[in-house]
């Protein structure tokens, strides 16, 4: 049994030259076996007659005769393999998994129940199920055919012009061609085997897929970033609404309270006057009543003809000495005077509003300070007259022009300098000490501003700045220019920019007051911090502008 099993091993019946089952097997003098055609062709192209296996050389080419024993054994093995394959195929064909389903490639040979194709042959241009694929796995002439995973429309793999398999790839025209195409239409073109073209394109597709995956990941990250920004924006909006509701509720309550106090004050004064008037009227009515009674007695007595009665009655009336009455000539109710009442109420309301505004600005300053950035001055942009500190944090007019290269970035006429850092998105904030200065300009500028010759500081020309002149005159370089009335002289100015919002705001840091805001700006370039220390006149305006750390 062991011997039988050994003899039936496929490895024993393979030709070492073609690596296929023996066809007309022959045995040469050294004892090794080969296909008759294989060994004959090998010796035809070789300059020596020797065994391909053991390298034993022969002086003359041996006569080759078919080894009938091995030939019969090969025939038996082939029949046994075919029967086994047929049995296995018959068993598997009944399996539900092998039955052709919509969307799958069916076997082109099956006539009754269409089975699922396992392979497609590019030579036969036919798709085979497991059963009908067997000859391609056993027959030596068919084993050389190229099998691929099952595909439909195999005719599309034939050259429409020459009816030959498309087995080459023209890199010049980037198209699949047949052998005849290389001789005729694609002569002198860079043509490679289909496999090589496939591998090249597959590698390119792999790179493209990797790039696409990278782009997808970046966009997914961007989506997450946008969602996160929206969440933060919503939280910030909710916080702003809550603060606004709180402030306006307080203002509303203050207005209502002041209105009630105002009304109560007016009504109180009016009630006092009405009470006084009522008291006067009551007193006057009492005197009128008494006088009327007196008049009635006098009139009655004056009609009497009795001498004694009249004299006695006259004495009782005491006409010559009447009862004292009040002098009403100087009594009056003056008109109500409410001058200043409304003004005082509004002033009180204004004080309340100022207090609430101060609280809001203080909170706003603390909020924007969270976006503080480290700004340093760029010596490559500094006007030749400018002196910068070694740490790049201070700038002042040196009164003497330095010999510096006139590079493209440098300001040539105006005593200005930009920060090294640029910003093209998000928010940023920095603070500058202006103490002791009588003239300065501060803010941000876009990258493409004019730096040569005399420049105009305006929003239209790419400068969003505020300024000080003559020690006490402030303004903003808006369109048109705006003159500012400040309650106090800022000693430290905070500059805040929201790129996407198009906002540039300036704060008096110590007073926690908003100086000015540019709103609705459209930023499309990089923005740089901008500094103009102003011209030095002796000791006047000699103090530097200092970029301060943000607390």
């Amino acid at each position: 049994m062991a011997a039988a099993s050994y003899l039936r091993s496929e490895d024993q019946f393979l030709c070492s030259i073609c690596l296929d089952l023996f066809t007309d097997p022959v045995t040469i003098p050294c004892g090794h076996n080969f296909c008759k055609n294989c060994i004959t062709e090998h010796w035809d192209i070789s300059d020596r007659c020797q065994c391909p296996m053991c390298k034993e050389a022969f002086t003359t080419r041996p006569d080759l005769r078919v080894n009938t024993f091995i030939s019969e054994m090969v025939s038996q093995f082939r029949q046994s393999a075919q029967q086994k394959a047929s049995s296995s195929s018959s068993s598997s064909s009944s399996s539900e998994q092998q039955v052709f389903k919509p969307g799958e490639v069916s076997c082109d040979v099956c006539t009754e129940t269409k089975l699922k194709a396992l392979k497609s042959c590019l030579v036969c241009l036919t798709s085979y199920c497991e059963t009908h694929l067997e000859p391609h796995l056993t027959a030596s002439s068919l084993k050389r055919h190229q099998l691929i995973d099952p595909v439909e429309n195999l005719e599309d793999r034939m050259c429409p012009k020459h009816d030959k398999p498309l087995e080459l790839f023209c890199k010049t025209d980037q198209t699949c061609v047949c052998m005849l195409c290389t001789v005729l239409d694609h002569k002198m073109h860079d043509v490679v085997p289909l496999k090589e073209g496939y591998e090249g394109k597959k590698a390119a597709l792999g790179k493209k897929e990797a790039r696409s995956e990278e782009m997808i990941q970046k966009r997914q990250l961007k989506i997450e970033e946008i969602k996160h920004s929206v969440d933060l924006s919503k939280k910030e909006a909710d916080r702003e609404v809550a603060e606004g509701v709180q402030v306006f509720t307080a203002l509303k309550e203050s207005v209502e309270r002041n209105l009630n106090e105002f009304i109560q004050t007016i009504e109180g004064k009016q009630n006092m006057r009405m009470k006084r008037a009522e008291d006067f009227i009551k007193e006057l009515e009492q005197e009128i009543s008494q006088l009327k009674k007196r008049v009635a007695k006098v009139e009655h007595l004056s009609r009497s003809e009795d001498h004694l009665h009249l004299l006695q009655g006259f004495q009782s009336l005491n006409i010559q000495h009447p009862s004292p009455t009040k002098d009403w000539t100087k009594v009056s109710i003056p008109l109500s005077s409410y001058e200043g009442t409304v003004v005082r109420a509004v002033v009180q309301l204004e004080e309340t509003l100022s207090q609430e505004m101060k609280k809001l600005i203080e909170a706003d300053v603390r909020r924007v300070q969270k976006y503080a950035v480290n700004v340093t001055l760029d010596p490559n942009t500094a006007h030749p007259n400018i002196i910068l500190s070694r740490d790049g944090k201070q700038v002042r007019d040196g009164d003497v022009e330095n010999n510096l290269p006139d590079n493209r970035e440098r300001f040539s006429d105006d005593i200005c300098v930009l920060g090294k850092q640029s910003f093209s998105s998000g928010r940023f904030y920095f603070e500058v000490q202006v103490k002791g200065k009588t003239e300065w300009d501060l803010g941000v500028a876009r990258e493409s501003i004019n730096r040569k010759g005399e420049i105009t500081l305006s929003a239209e020309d790419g400068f969003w700045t505020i300024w000080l002149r003559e020690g006490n005159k402030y303004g903003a370089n808006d369109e048109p220019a705006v003159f500012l009335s400040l309650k106090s002289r800022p000693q430290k100015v905070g500059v805040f920019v929201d790129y996407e919002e198009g906002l540039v705001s300036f704060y008096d840091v110590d007073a926690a007051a908003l100086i000015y805001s540019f709103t609705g700006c459209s930023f499309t370039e990089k923005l740089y911090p901008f500094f103009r220390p102003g011209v030095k006149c002796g000791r006047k305006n000699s103090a530097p502008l200092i970029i301060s750390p943000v607390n």
Side-chain angles (χ1 to χ4, degrees):
M1 290 296 293
S5 175
Y6 174 78
L7 288 173
R8 290 183 181 182
S9 173
E10 181 179 6
D11 293 340
Q12 304 301 315
F13 305 121
L14 294 181
C15 172
S16 59
I17 297 177
C18 67
L19 301 178
D20 201 351
L21 289 175
F22 285 124
T23 302
D24 297 331
V26 296
T27 304
I28 60 177
C30 63
H32 290 112
N33 301 301
F34 303 95
C35 296
K36 184 176 182 180
N37 287 339
C38 291
I39 191 64
T40 301
E41 291 176 359
H42 177 73
W43 282 339
D44 287 343
I45 62 176
S46 177
D47 55 354
R48 299 182 64 185
C49 184
Q50 61 180 9
C51 176
M53 295 288 289
C54 63
K55 306 302 181 185
E56 180 179 346
F58 308 108
T59 55
T60 59
R61 180 181 294 195
D63 292 334
L64 299 177
R65 295 183 180 181
V66 174
N67 187 323
T68 56
F69 174 74
I70 295 179
S71 179
E72 290 177 359
M73 293 297 294
V74 169
S75 177
Q76 291 177 7
F77 175 80
R78 186 171 285 156
Q79 290 177 0
S80 175
Q82 287 178 348
Q83 290 174 358
K84 184 177 180 180
S86 176
S87 175
S88 174
S89 174
S90 175
S91 174
S92 62
S93 65
S94 62
S95 173
E96 186 176 340
Q97 294 181 349
Q98 298 296 321
V99 176
F100 163 71
K101 297 177 183 178
E104 296 177 339
V105 179
S106 63
C107 176
D108 294 329
V109 183
C110 291
T111 56
E112 296 180 358
T113 302
K114 285 286 186 180
L115 299 181
K116 175 183 175 181
L118 293 184
K119 294 289 181 180
S120 295
C121 178
L122 294 181
V123 178
C124 303
L125 296 179
T126 305
S127 296
Y128 299 101
C129 64
E130 188 174 356
T131 301
H132 296 115
L133 180 64
E134 182 61 30
H136 278 75
L137 301 178
T138 55
S140 58
S141 58
L142 297 178
K143 288 179 70 174
R144 295 183 178 87
H145 289 191
Q146 185 176 355
L147 299 176
I148 61 172
D149 289 335
V151 294
E152 294 180 339
N153 303 322
L154 283 168
E155 60 273 9
D156 293 341
R157 296 175 176 270
M158 300 294 288
C159 176
K161 190 171 183 179
H162 305 111
D163 199 26
K164 297 291 183 182
L166 297 172
E167 50 189 354
L168 299 171
F169 180 72
C170 177
K171 297 173 72 174
T172 305
D173 293 337
Q174 294 292 299
T175 186
C176 297
V177 297
C178 68
M179 291 295 294
L180 287 178
C181 289
T182 61
V183 180
L184 302 174
D185 302 332
H186 296 264
K187 191 176 182 180
M188 305 303 291
H189 286 191
D190 185 6
V191 179
V192 297
L194 205 61
K195 183 177 181 181
E196 183 178 336
Y198 160 83
E199 291 174 348
K201 291 300 181 182
K202 188 174 183 179
L205 287 174
K207 292 180 181 179
K208 189 171 183 179
E209 182 181 5
R211 285 196 300 269
S212 298
E213 288 292 338
E214 183 180 359
M215 292 172 66
I216 289 171
Q217 291 179 1
K218 287 182 178 180
R219 280 152 179 76
Q220 288 176 338
L221 289 174
K222 180 58 68 174
I223 289 174
E224 294 301 320
E225 179 184 332
I226 292 172
K227 287 181 178 179
H228 182 63
S229 297
V230 170
D231 291 340
L232 291 179
S233 178
K234 186 177 185 305
K235 290 179 181 178
E236 189 170 344
D238 292 342
R239 179 183 53 76
E240 287 287 342
V241 169
E243 288 184 2
V245 169
Q246 183 179 356
V247 170
F248 282 102
T249 300
L251 290 176
K252 179 182 177 183
E253 291 174 353
S254 178
V255 170
E256 291 177 348
R257 185 170 57 253
N258 286 358
L259 176 60
N260 291 333
E261 291 175 358
F262 168 73
I263 293 174
Q264 289 173 6
T265 300
I266 298 297
E267 289 179 346
K269 289 182 178 181
Q270 180 63 16
N271 290 337
M272 288 176 62
R273 284 172 173 77
M274 289 178 65
K275 179 68 169 58
R276 189 176 181 185
E278 288 174 356
D279 291 343
F280 284 156
I281 291 171
K282 186 176 181 180
E283 188 177 350
L284 286 167
E285 287 176 344
Q286 288 176 352
E287 289 191 7
I288 290 172
S289 178
Q290 290 175 1
L291 289 172
K292 284 184 177 180
K293 291 179 181 179
R294 194 179 188 87
V295 168
K297 288 181 180 181
V298 171
E299 184 180 357
H300 175 73
L301 189 61
S302 64
R303 291 195 189 111
S304 177
E305 298 292 336
D306 186 343
H307 298 166
L308 179 62
H309 180 262
L310 186 144
L311 291 173
Q312 290 176 342
F314 183 83
Q315 191 70 27
S316 64
L317 287 174
N318 197 15
I319 293 176
Q320 292 180 344
H321 304 284
S323 58
T325 57
K326 190 172 183 176
D327 183 5
W328 291 95
T329 57
K330 295 182 180 180
V331 175
S332 66
I333 300 297
L335 294 175
S336 298
S337 176
Y338 302 112
E339 287 79 2
T341 307
V342 177
V343 173
R344 286 191 295 274
V346 173
V347 168
Q348 187 176 355
L349 181 61
E350 186 180 12
E351 291 175 356
T352 303
L353 180 60
S354 297
Q355 292 173 0
E356 293 297 331
M357 280 294 295
K358 186 173 180 60
K359 292 179 184 177
L360 282 177
I361 297 298
E362 288 175 349
D364 195 30
V365 170
R366 288 194 299 271
R367 186 161 56 250
V368 299
Q369 283 177 332
K370 294 189 299 183
Y371 301 99
V373 294
N374 182 25
V375 174
T376 52
L377 301 167
D378 185 358
N380 291 327
T381 65
H383 183 274
N385 279 27
I386 278 181
I387 296 178
L388 303 179
S389 61
R390 289 185 177 181
D391 61 359
K393 295 292 185 178
Q394 300 185 24
V395 54
R396 62 184 177 87
D397 177 20
D399 222 6
V400 177
E401 184 169 331
N402 299 306
N403 186 18
L404 297 173
D406 186 20
N407 51 289
R408 183 173 58 86
E409 298 88 357
R410 192 179 307 283
F411 291 95
S412 63
D413 286 27
D414 280 289
I415 302 177
C416 307
V417 63
L418 298 178
K420 282 184 179 180
Q421 294 73 22
S422 65
F423 306 90
S424 56
S425 64
R427 302 166 181 173
F428 63 95
Y429 174 85
F430 60 95
E431 293 179 354
V432 182
Q433 180 179 307
V434 296
K435 185 178 180 180
K437 302 286 293 176
T438 58
E439 179 182 342
W440 50 259
D441 293 77
L442 282 176
V444 293
R446 67 187 177 208
E447 186 176 29
S448 63
I449 53 171
N450 176 34
R451 309 185 191 194
K452 305 301 180 182
E454 187 174 347
I455 61 176
T456 302
L457 298 183
S458 67
E460 184 178 3
D461 293 313
F463 297 88
W464 293 269
T465 58
I466 60 172
W467 48 262
L468 168 67
R469 300 288 184 270
E470 301 176 15
N472 59 1
K473 296 179 180 178
Y474 295 90
N477 293 313
D478 210 334
E479 295 292 336
V482 178
F483 294 95
L484 305 174
S485 178
L486 306 183
K487 292 183 178 180
S488 60
R489 292 182 58 184
Q491 303 298 300
K492 186 183 291 185
V493 176
V495 183
F496 172 71
V497 177
D498 188 330
Y499 195 96
E500 283 75 20
E501 192 70 21
L503 173 69
V504 183
S505 293
F506 298 86
Y507 297 90
D508 182 339
V509 178
D510 298 325
L514 178 65
I515 298 174
Y516 188 75
S517 287
F518 292 86
T519 59
C521 307
S522 179
F523 301 132
T524 56
E525 302 178 22
K526 293 179 180 178
L527 296 180
Y528 290 83
F530 174 83
F531 307 85
R532 182 179 176 274
V535 178
K536 172 187 172 186
C537 297
R539 292 186 177 181
K540 188 177 181 182
N541 201 40
S542 60
L545 290 175
I546 303 174
I547 302 173
S548 305
V550 177
N551 295 326

